Amino acid sequence: MLDWAHRAGSAWLRSLERDRLDTKGDRSHLMQINKAARESEMLGTLALAAPKTADFQFVKFRVEGEIVRLTLDRPEHNLLNERVLMELVAGINSVSETSAVKLIVLDSAAKAFCGGIELGEYTARRVFQLLDAFHNAFSAMVETAKPILVVINGPAFGGGAELAALGDLVIATPNARFAQPEIKLGAFPPLAAAVLPYILGPKMALELVLTAETMSAERARELGLVNWLVPEKDLQKKVDEVCAKVTAQSGPVLTMAKKAILGSLGLPLREGVRNSMKVFLNELADLEDSQEGLRATVEKRAPKWKNR
């Protein structure tokens, strides 16, 4: 796992551990969580096997050349349950090691991007399975070698806002709205509590989580949660434009750039620079595409990537 993802994920697990166990020792906490999850399954909750892409029910999976599109499609609000999250994970993992794919696009077939967790899933009996499914989705989005572009044209609440926060790139329209309303339900969003401080800073993360206020797309753009804010009529044009710019690059170099950036998050500046230089010198320098890029520059021509 990337270092910053490991730290964020660990913070998320610890928040759950403090609430459920009230004991000391991270290793023993994790062992107790795993034991409790197994016991919960033994009580009658059947753990779902990882679905095949051909069997997806709520996520449309399409391969379009160098792009894979994952479209949330669970009417009306794309509420998240274990099955949706497992399909999302399976879709991402199915192409993570595929060299022909350079970009993953996550969008929605509904007016809402995602309305969050299906409340019927959030019971004491199922909380461990649901959080495990969320953690798997978190890990898949952060750890995949492919950049992920999230496209939002409607409300992204609760778990939906967390999915948006995990996108490497985010395009939104003014129809998009973001909120973490869990505090109103007597809970807090464990994933957002760990991830948002990395993206927005602790003050803004606290504001969003503690007040449950809805954030406009414009505000999200100002704070850095959204990369591009475009009118709805121009959304597809912008998506196509960003996809074209990303896929025009070398696939392995895209992977290494993402690895260097995310792997340096949360590190002191000197350590972050060392991490980035390690990727650059030990991995990038061995690529054929790296040499091709230099030759193309000298010869004043467009590079011809071999994606290796």
Side-chain angles (χ1 to χ4, degrees), residues 17-70:
E17 294 158 17
R18 286 194 296 268
D19 186 50
R20 296 286 295 178
L21 301 174
D22 193 27
T23 60
K24 295 183 179 180
D26 288 343
R27 186 176 298 275
S28 63
H29 285 194
L30 185 56
M31 291 175 63
Q32 292 181 54
I33 284 179
N34 290 335
K35 178 181 178 182
R38 290 193 297 270
E39 290 175 348
S40 180
E41 291 176 5
M42 293 173 63
L43 288 173
T45 300
L46 180 62
L48 298 174
K52 298 180 179 179
T53 56
D55 299 326
F56 283 6
Q57 300 174 19
F58 305 119
V59 176
K60 294 180 180 178
F61 179 90
R62 305 185 304 283
V63 179
E64 301 175 357
E66 297 174 317
I67 300 170
V68 163
R69 296 186 184 273
L70 301 176

Side-chain angles (χ1 to χ4, degrees), residues 7-149:
R7 290 190 293 274
S10 297
W12 179 25
L13 286 172
R14 286 197 297 272
S15 69
L16 174 63
E17 294 158 17
R18 286 194 296 268
D19 186 50
R20 296 286 295 178
L21 301 174
D22 193 27
T23 60
K24 295 183 179 180
D26 288 343
R27 186 176 298 275
S28 63
H29 285 194
L30 185 56
M31 291 175 63
Q32 292 181 54
I33 284 179
N34 290 335
K35 178 181 178 182
R38 290 193 297 270
E39 290 175 348
S40 180
E41 291 176 5
M42 293 173 63
L43 288 173
T45 300
L46 180 62
L48 298 174
K52 298 180 179 179
T53 56
D55 299 326
F56 283 6
Q57 300 174 19
F58 305 119
V59 176
K60 294 180 180 178
F61 179 90
R62 305 185 304 283
V63 179
E64 301 175 357
E66 297 174 317
I67 300 170
V68 163
R69 296 186 184 273
L70 301 176
T71 301
L72 300 177
D73 189 19
R74 189 179 183 223
E76 296 178 352
H77 305 292
N78 288 327
L79 296 182
L80 300 173
N81 60 11
E82 280 185 76
R83 178 72 193 197
V84 176
L85 291 166
M86 292 181 73
E87 290 182 9
L88 181 60
V89 171
I92 293 172
N93 289 343
S94 70
V95 298
S96 286
E97 302 302 324
T98 303
S99 60
V101 173
K102 295 183 179 180
L103 178 67
I104 297 172
V105 177
L106 175 62
D107 58 15
S108 167
K111 290 184 178 180
F113 174 72
C114 177
I117 292 291
E118 183 177 34
L119 292 182
E121 295 281 304
Y122 198 80
T123 63
R125 190 173 182 176
R126 295 189 61 81
V127 66
F128 286 104
Q129 289 92 327
L130 186 60
L131 287 180
D132 185 58
F134 245 116
H135 187 265
N136 289 339
F138 160 80
S139 297
M141 291 185 72
V142 172
E143 293 180 358
T144 180
K146 314 301 179 184
I148 297 180
L149 170 63

Side-chain angles (χ1 to χ4, degrees), residues 288 290-301 306:
E288 288 186 37
S290 179
Q291 302 304 315
E292 165 61 12
L294 292 175
R295 285 194 300 268
T297 299
V298 172
E299 297 171 7
K300 299 181 179 180
R301 59 173 175 81
K306 296 183 179 179

